[in-house]
Amino acid sequence: MNAPVKPVLELLIAAPRGFCAGVDRAIRIVELAIEKYGAPVYVRHEIVHNKFVVDTLKAKGAIFVVELDEVPDGVPVVFSAHGVPKAVPAKAAERGLSYLDATCPLVSKVHRQAERLVAAGRHILFIGHAGHPEVIGTFGQVPEGEMTLVENPAQAETVSVPDPGKLAFLTQTTLSVDDTAATLAVLRRRFPAILAPGPNDICYATTNRQSAVKAIASSVDLMLVIGSPKSSNSMRLVEVAVRNGTCATLIQRADELDFAWFDGVGTVGITAGASAPELLVRELVAKLSERFEVIEREVETIEENVVFKLPRGLEAA
Ligand code: SF4
């Protein structure tokens, strides 16, 4: 008897997708620290927001903690890619802990800008999402009260500032490009003298992944975004897909797939947030292949070749 014919499903796979240079570097730092110092190596906070990555590193000997107090004396600790308030390395130094900073260099750049702007007497309006570790880390670079969080255009309309003539703005690196432009437009209208150190601080990886989703959104019936609900850039990919006219769902692993989603669906878009490894994309395609005759097509909007240097002392580990 012939095997039943599987329905055809076309997959448009967005490129760039998945790991960015900052995530790649942060994971390498933990791996190399384990090689160099031996397990366990402590990591303050999830090194990147992806359960698969965290579980893989745990299996290699990483122990993830929320605060430094949980790190015993005499063992190395790594700070996550999102960055940490200045008080954290200061406290580690006070305790004599050796630490490795896996903060993405693009986040560190925002930290240095924040310090410079405050030193120059400017109050900073910071566009970002309350509670995100990157926002907490950036606020922790300057004295309390020198920076005000603005989450959206509505808050930009009402935010009050100490002196409109001495203002600057900075942004989280993983925001929606379109939402940030809307928030900035309000700030620029209300505070024409606001200093812009650059167009914004949304990183190349966030920008490129959102552009890649926009390029395929109108051609697919459903967009699957692989990423964690804690991952800001992954959540933004879902929003970008929906705004550009398609249904979109965030999944962490292929086993979360519900084949009921595919009723009447002929073309599916696939992308992955900056902290999701390619292996999870391949796992998803394999899962879909169990049910469908899949036809894969990668749609590349820009080639990425960004690589960040490792901290000194780890390259030769
Ligand atoms: Fe760095 Fe951007 Fe990746 Fe965040 S998403 S780690 S800012 S490159």
Side-chain angles (χ1 to χ4, degrees):
M1 215 170 78
N2 290 337
V5 179
K6 293 184 199 170
V8 171
L9 187 68
E10 189 184 11
L11 303 182
L12 298 189
I13 306 188
R17 63 177 174 277
F19 275 7
C20 59
V23 163
D24 213 35
R25 174 180 180 270
I27 294 169
R28 276 308 282 151
I29 289 174
V30 178
E31 289 172 340
L32 290 170
I34 294 170
E35 273 175 37
K36 182 167 176 170
Y37 302 108
V41 162
Y42 280 71
V43 184
R44 184 185 174 276
H45 289 184
E46 289 191 347
I47 185 78
V48 298
H49 284 149
N50 186 274
K51 186 176 180 314
F52 176 84
V53 169
V54 167
D55 288 346
T56 305
L57 291 172
K58 274 184 191 168
K60 291 181 180 177
I63 295 178
F64 291 86
V65 295
V66 177
E67 286 306 338
L68 273 189
D69 302 344
E70 299 163 64
V71 180
D73 288 337
V75 294
V77 59
V78 180
F79 302 144
S80 81
H82 313 100
V84 290
K86 272 185 171 177
V88 174
K91 194 168 160 198
E94 214 178 274
R95 282 186 52 197
L97 293 175
S98 63
Y99 62 84
L100 291 156
D101 190 355
T103 302
C104 176
L106 299 181
V107 174
S108 299
K109 188 175 145 208
V110 179
H111 289 180
R112 300 294 74 80
Q113 276 175 331
E115 281 183 313
R116 277 197 294 272
L117 289 166
V118 168
R122 294 196 177 254
H123 186 81
I124 299 171
L125 294 179
F126 188 81
I127 304 173
H129 298 294
H132 190 278
E134 182 184 328
V135 176
I136 294 168
T138 304
F139 269 69
Q141 303 305 310
V142 296
E144 214 178 319
E146 301 287 0
M147 204 185 284
T148 304
L149 185 67
V150 178
E151 292 196 83
N152 49 45
Q155 287 184 6
E157 289 287 3
T158 56
V159 67
S160 53
V161 299
D163 177 355
K166 289 219 152 206
L167 263 189
F169 75 83
L170 293 172
T171 77
Q172 193 178 329
T173 57
T174 50
L175 299 178
S176 151
V177 172
D178 297 336
D179 286 348
T180 305
T183 305
L184 266 178
V186 175
L187 293 179
R188 285 194 165 111
R189 171 172 51 73
R190 287 194 62 208
F191 310 113
I194 193 166
L195 182 76
N200 61 54
D201 305 296
I202 300 173
C203 75
Y204 79 96
T206 299
T207 307
N208 291 348
R209 278 149 195 69
Q210 288 178 19
S211 301
V213 162
K214 279 185 193 171
I216 59 174
S218 61
S219 310
V220 304
D221 305 308
L222 170 67
M223 183 80 70
L224 296 175
V225 178
I226 302 173
S228 159
K230 287 192 226 164
S231 158
S232 172
N233 81 86
S234 303
M235 296 302 291
R236 303 295 80 81
L237 292 176
V238 174
E239 290 168 8
V240 167
V242 171
R243 283 212 197 128
N244 285 271
T246 188
C247 298
T249 304
L250 183 81
I251 55 169
Q252 302 206 58
R253 293 291 296 260
D255 58 9
E256 292 174 18
L257 268 191
D258 180 348
F259 285 113
W261 300 339
F262 296 82
D263 289 347
V265 165
T267 307
V268 171
I270 295 179
T271 186
S275 41
E278 181 63 13
L279 193 139
L280 300 184
V281 175
R282 297 325 308 166
E283 181 190 75
L284 175 60
V285 173
K287 181 84 179 171
L288 290 169
S289 305
E290 290 171 10
R291 182 69 69 101
F292 301 100
E293 192 60 50
V294 302
I295 301 168
E296 276 185 66
R297 189 154 68 84
E298 182 164 279
V299 182
E300 185 173 60
T301 44
I302 193 167
E303 197 182 320
E304 281 182 354
N305 45 26
V306 179
V307 179
F308 294 134
K309 274 197 213 149
L310 289 163
R312 218 170 293 140
L314 270 191
E315 308 97 321

